[in-house]
Amino acid sequence: MKNLRSLALGLALSTGLATLAAPVQSFAAGASDSEAERQARWTEIATSIFGDRKIEPTDALIKVEAPARALDAALVPITLTMPEKDKIRSVHFIIDDNPSPYAAHFTFGPAADPGELKLRVRINNYTNVHAVAETNDGKLYEATKFVKASGGCSAPMGMSDEEAMRGMGEMKMKFSGDAQSGKPVEATLMIRHPNFSGMQMNQVTRDYTPARYINKLSVSYGDTNVFTMEGDISISSNPVINFAFVPKGSGPIKVAASDNQGGQWQHNFTAPSPSN
């Protein structure tokens, strides 16, 4: 599923998830695009990712919360809510007008409580974002949100590349509330990683920094999977992901991450012990 794809600036980015066949001019859209143009773009992207599978609109199975206008296009907060969480197998998050639209794919395991996910993304243009939920019976349902943002994928880090990579792979995790057997616990995972998009210019050398981003993340509770994430350049630097898990039995929270340049990191966290 990894391919190299030439973009408008002559950059080669590894998509890490799926090769999207949309032409380069598709990514030059702006605020003046009509709804018909946006729908045509989404149809093209959806076909590239899901083939001929039918995608139904929904306002019940998945909801997208995002700012109407981003304060920082490189750090746009996204909340995905799944009210009927027991029906959800996985969630795809797509940013239509980003150079690599397929931002992330979360697949939930037996230890997950998939009621809500929070993450931060880069948004490069005025665009629709789509959250596509796949249910346990294999059906697809999508929710859409329009976000005004510009330049998130090329925004500089505000520090040297060396500083941005210092401590790469370090992780922290915070837990919210008391753990009770069979009830979900909220957690926040923070990973130090620049998630270079390949479109950022080094302010000293004036060269483009090669793309380097987390492309796979696995979280488990003991020996039971909570979720796996396949990611791409649209995930913001120093990723922060809020999720929930169901503590059954005992065991640490295990996190394993890898990036598109072969970096690998693992860390164990002591999970709150459930009380009966």
Side-chain angles (χ1 to χ4, degrees), residues 65-76:
E65 182 181 334
R69 183 182 294 274
L71 295 176
D72 185 342
L75 290 168
V76 182

Side-chain angles (χ1 to χ4, degrees), residues 89 107-114 224-228:
R89 175 192 299 170
T107 302
F108 301 109
D113 181 85
T224 306
N225 181 252
V226 178
F227 71 85
T228 58

Side-chain angles (χ1 to χ4, degrees), residues 165-188:
M165 291 190 291
R166 191 171 297 146
M168 190 162 55
E170 292 178 359
M171 302 182 196
K172 294 181 180 179
M173 186 173 290
K174 295 180 179 179
F175 302 98
S176 177
D178 297 327
Q180 298 182 30
S181 183
K183 294 188 177 181
V185 174
E186 295 182 3
T188 302

Side-chain angles (χ1 to χ4, degrees), residues 134-204:
E134 182 171 3
T135 55
N136 293 323
D137 58 5
K139 295 181 180 179
L140 300 173
Y141 298 88
E142 61 100 357
T144 309
K145 181 82 172 182
F146 183 71
V147 181
K148 297 178 181 179
S150 182
C153 292
S154 58
M157 293 282 290
M159 62 185 76
S160 70
D161 293 352
E162 291 75 17
E163 289 174 313
M165 291 190 291
R166 191 171 297 146
M168 190 162 55
E170 292 178 359
M171 302 182 196
K172 294 181 180 179
M173 186 173 290
K174 295 180 179 179
F175 302 98
S176 177
D178 297 327
Q180 298 182 30
S181 183
K183 294 188 177 181
V185 174
E186 295 182 3
T188 302
L189 172 63
M190 296 159 278
I191 306 175
R192 187 166 179 81
H193 195 289
N195 263 23
F196 291 131
S197 67
M199 298 174 63
Q200 296 150 310
M201 181 178 288
N202 185 302
Q203 300 302 299
V204 176

